[in-house]
Amino acid sequence: MGVSDVIYYMIHIQELKSIIQWKTWHNPVHERNPEKEPVSLRICFDFLDKTSRSFSAVIQELHPELLVPIALFYLILRGLDTIEDDMTIPLEKKNTLLREFYKTIEKEGWSFNGNGPDEKDRELLVQFHYVIEEFRKVKPVYREIIKDISRQMGDGMAEYCTRAAEGRSGVDTVKDFDMYCYYVAGLVGNGLTQLFVESGLANPALREREQLQTSMGLFLQKTNIIRDIREDWDDKRRFWPREIWSKYVEDFDDLFKPENTEAALNCSSDMVLHSLNHADECLFYLAGLKEQSVFNFAAIPQAMAVATLALVFRNPQIYKKNIKITKGEACQIMLDSTQNLQKVCEVFRKFVRQIHKKNTPKDPNFLKISIACGKVEQFIESIFPSQDAKALQRAVDAGGHKKEEDPKVIQERKEAKEDIKYMLIAVMGTLIFLSCIMIGIAYLAGARWDVAYNDVKHEIKQGILKQSASATAQTVAGKYDRGEL
C-alpha cells in the first residue's frame, strides 16, 4: 500500500473497514484442496489465476460438484476468445479453428502455437492439452453442455470476424449489439444455467426461462462495453451500435472531442439504459439458485455490474480513461452479495437510486431511465416489501406510542463507532511507523540532526528579533502620529 493509498483510506474509513472485514471475516462455503489434485488440474487452475483473478477466486469457492466443470468451461471459452481476438491469424484459418473448436476440445494432446507473440493468453493455447486431459474426465452430461455452448459461440464469433474482414460493421443496429453480446456472454449464462440445474443446485424452472439466463450474461457484457469505451477506442475497436451513437454525433470519434461532451454523455446514458433494462431479470434469476456457493458465484458479478453502471452513468471520465470501482467499494459489495437475495436487492436498490439521482431532464433519455430505475425498485418491492405488515400491526397495537429503539440496533451502532475508532488508531499507527522508518533511513544516510536543530533555533531567534525591532519602530512612530511631522 503506497502513501497515496494510506491518505485515501484515511479519508474513506468505511472502505478501509470493508477491506479488512473481507480479508478477515470472509469464509468460503467450499475450499479447493490442490494437494488432492493431479498435476494437470493444478496447471489448469494456475491458468485460471493468470487469465482472470476475480473469476478465479469465486470459481474456486464453488461446490465440489461444479468446481472443475466450470473452471474448465471458463478456460475453454477463454481459448476461443484468444483465437478470435488475434488479428495475426488469417481469416480462413481463424474461422476453421472457431467453428471446429467444440470438436477440438476432446482431441487428446491438441495444442495451438499459432497465436501472435503479443497475444495475452497465448500460453494457455500452447499448453491446452492439459485442459483437454481434464475435460475428458468430466461427467458426460457436463461435457455435452460445454461442447454445445462452445459450438454456438464459435459459430457466432466466426460470423462476426467475417463481417469485420469484409468491411461490414458487426454492430450497426441495437439488434446486432444484442446478438453480439448474446454470442460472447448470453450463451455463457445459458451454459452455466444448464450446469447448475443438472447438478441439482438450482431450480429446474430456470432451464425453461431462457430470457432470464440470457439477461445475466447481457447485463455483464453491456456494462463492460460501456466501461471500456476508451480502451476499445484506443485499440481501434468499436462495439457501441451505430444506431445509438449516430443519434448524437456524426462520427464515432466525435464522442471523444471536448466540444461534444454533452452529446457524449447523452449517448452513454442511452447505452446505460439498454443495460439497465436487464437488471430486474437478473434478480429474478438469482432467486432460483438454491446452493450458497452457486448463489455467490452468480451474484457477485451482477452486483459489481450495477455498481459499475452507476459509476459510468453520465460520467465524462469514461471517454478519457478506463474507470473502475475502488477496492474498498468492491469488498463491501462482495460482503453484501455473499449473504442472501435480500442483501443483493439492497445493493441493486442503492446503485439504481444513484443512477436516478444523477439523471437529468436535459438528457433525452431522462424519462426512459427513470422508468427503468422504477422498474427495478418495483420488482424489489414486490418480493421484499419495505412496509412490514407485522411491524405495522405492532405499531397499531401499541396505541400509537413511540416504540423504543431495538437494543440490537443500538448495539450495532455502538460497535460501528468502535470500529471507526480502531480504524483511525490503525491509520495513525501506520503513519507514525512510516515516519520512524523515514527518520531512521535519514539517520543511517548521515543526516546531521544537530546542524538542523541549530538552524531552526537560529531562524526562530532571528524571527523574534525582527518582531521586536518592528514593534519598537511602531511605538516610536506612534508618538509623533499627531501631525507634528
Side-chain angles (χ1 to χ4, degrees), residues 21-186:
Q21 286 179 333
W22 176 256
K23 296 289 186 183
T24 57
W25 294 354
H26 173 66
N27 292 316
V29 183
H30 305 284
E31 290 192 65
R32 168 180 163 243
N33 187 355
E35 294 179 1
K36 295 182 179 180
E37 298 170 352
V39 174
S40 55
L41 186 56
R42 290 203 297 269
I43 291 173
C44 289
F45 278 108
D46 286 342
F47 276 116
L48 192 65
D49 284 333
K50 292 173 184 176
T51 53
S52 176
R53 281 196 166 276
S54 55
F55 269 109
S56 177
V58 290
I59 288 174
Q60 293 187 56
E61 293 183 8
L62 275 169
H63 190 284
E65 176 68 16
L66 289 178
L67 172 62
V68 174
I70 289 181
L72 297 176
F73 186 28
Y74 180 87
L75 291 175
I76 287 168
L77 298 185
R78 176 64 75 169
L80 260 176
D81 194 51
T82 303
I83 292 171
E84 184 211 14
D85 285 346
D86 193 341
M87 304 306 293
T88 66
I89 302 175
L91 179 62
E92 186 175 347
K93 183 178 181 180
K94 178 184 288 189
N95 281 352
T96 301
L97 285 167
L98 292 173
R99 293 188 187 277
E100 298 294 318
F101 203 73
Y102 76 101
K103 298 177 183 177
T104 303
I105 57 179
E106 288 194 307
K107 289 182 180 178
E108 188 175 358
W110 184 89
S111 62
F112 180 71
N113 62 0
N115 283 110
D118 298 326
E119 193 61 37
K120 183 168 68 77
D121 295 319
R122 182 183 191 280
E123 192 61 27
L124 170 63
L125 288 173
V126 170
Q127 300 190 51
F128 205 74
H129 54 279
Y130 290 116
V131 178
I132 294 174
E133 181 180 342
E134 289 303 318
F135 181 68
R136 287 163 61 90
K137 301 175 186 176
V138 171
K139 288 181 180 180
V141 64
Y142 296 154
R143 285 208 309 270
E144 289 305 313
I145 292 170
I146 294 171
K147 282 173 61 180
D148 182 54
I149 298 300
S150 301
R151 177 186 59 79
Q152 295 182 63
M153 187 174 288
D155 287 344
M157 288 178 170
E159 174 64 24
Y160 276 90
C161 286
T162 301
R163 293 178 66 172
E166 293 174 351
R168 294 180 290 155
S169 172
V171 282
D172 273 339
T173 66
V174 172
K175 185 178 179 181
D176 290 335
F177 180 55
D178 284 343
M179 186 56 68
Y180 173 77
C181 291
Y182 172 75
Y183 277 127
V184 299

Side-chain angles (χ1 to χ4, degrees), residues 1 3 6 428-447 449:
M1 183 183 287
V3 176
V6 172
M428 293 306 298
T430 303
L431 288 173
I432 292 169
F433 177 69
L434 291 173
S435 299
C436 290
I437 290 176
M438 293 171 69
I439 291 171
I441 292 171
Y443 174 75
L444 293 174
W449 301 112

Side-chain angles (χ1 to χ4, degrees), residues 212 215-216 219 278-287 302 348:
L212 299 183
S215 283
M216 289 286 285
F219 186 57
H278 299 288
D280 61 319
E281 292 185 336
C282 293
L283 293 174
F284 198 165
Y285 179 94
L286 292 174
Q302 303 298 325
F348 268 68

Side-chain angles (χ1 to χ4, degrees), residues 315-348:
N315 188 341
Q317 291 301 312
I318 65 170
Y319 295 104
K320 300 175 183 176
K321 60 182 180 180
N322 187 272
I323 60 175
K324 295 182 180 180
I325 56 178
T326 65
K327 185 176 181 180
E329 290 172 327
C331 287
Q332 184 59 54
I333 290 168
M334 289 190 291
L335 284 167
D336 292 336
S337 303
T338 51
Q339 297 185 45
N340 52 53
L341 182 61
Q342 186 169 4
K343 292 295 290 184
V344 174
C345 284
E346 289 174 9
V347 172
F348 268 68

